Amino acid sequence: MQTTYRIDRRFVLSLVGIQMIAAGLTAMLAFWVWAPLGILTVLILLNALRVGVRPPVVARTDAEGARIGGVRAAKPVSVAWSDVEDVSIRGQQMVFDLGGDSSIVFSLAYLGGRANEFVRDVYERLNTANGYSRFDPSA
């Protein structure tokens, strides 16, 4: 089952705000300079509405691996659980160590309140992929 993590609302509000400013500027230019710019204004407003209603995805996890990154985070990178040697948390960043000098750093700030859920999900999927299970002393 795939789990999708969307960007936190505080980043969505700044994205929508920037687009509203851009829409205002293009509307002004459409009024004074060239009327067809009004079409661009409408497109920018529609995109702001889309982002506000359905924020962009910044991470996805499934049984095979994770896709990390997206709008404002970084270029999306896919990583298979079998390629991950270690995962650590440094402050507000999760570091996926891929061995050697290769690693992927993902800021948990993009997830806001769902950061703990993402961390738990990553560790559980890594354990499942490597065949680890929780120790049960009663067994």
Side-chain angles (χ1 to χ4, degrees):
M1 184 171 125
Q2 183 176 10
T3 307
T4 302
Y5 298 92
R6 297 188 176 277
I7 197 164
D8 188 44
R9 281 284 180 212
R10 61 186 164 173
F11 295 108
V12 168
L13 291 176
S14 66
L15 285 171
V16 169
I18 290 169
Q19 291 180 41
M20 295 301 281
I21 291 170
L25 290 173
T26 57
M28 179 185 66
L29 288 173
F31 183 72
W32 283 334
V33 179
W34 193 48
L37 280 176
I39 296 170
L40 180 60
T41 302
V42 171
L43 292 175
I44 293 172
L45 288 173
L46 289 174
N47 190 54
L49 178 65
R50 181 192 62 86
V51 168
V53 170
R54 192 168 172 91
V57 174
V58 291
R60 290 178 193 210
T61 59
D62 59 20
E64 285 78 38
R67 183 176 173 268
I68 303 162
V71 175
R72 291 195 62 163
K75 181 180 176 183
V77 176
S78 294
V79 61
W81 297 126
S82 58
D83 296 340
V84 177
E85 289 188 7
D86 188 26
V87 174
S88 59
I89 297 175
R90 297 181 192 147
Q92 278 282 36
Q93 296 179 330
M94 179 174 261
V95 180
F96 294 82
D97 183 13
L98 304 177
D101 292 336
S102 182
S103 64
I104 298 170
V105 180
F106 178 72
S107 177
L108 296 171
Y110 292 120
L111 300 175
R114 292 191 69 193
N116 290 336
E117 179 185 342
F118 177 71
V119 170
R120 192 174 322 111
D121 187 27
V122 167
Y123 281 119
E124 287 176 4
R125 290 186 189 269
L126 271 172
N127 286 341
T128 302
N130 290 314
Y132 302 139
S133 60
R134 290 189 181 271
F135 175 69
D136 184 11
S138 63

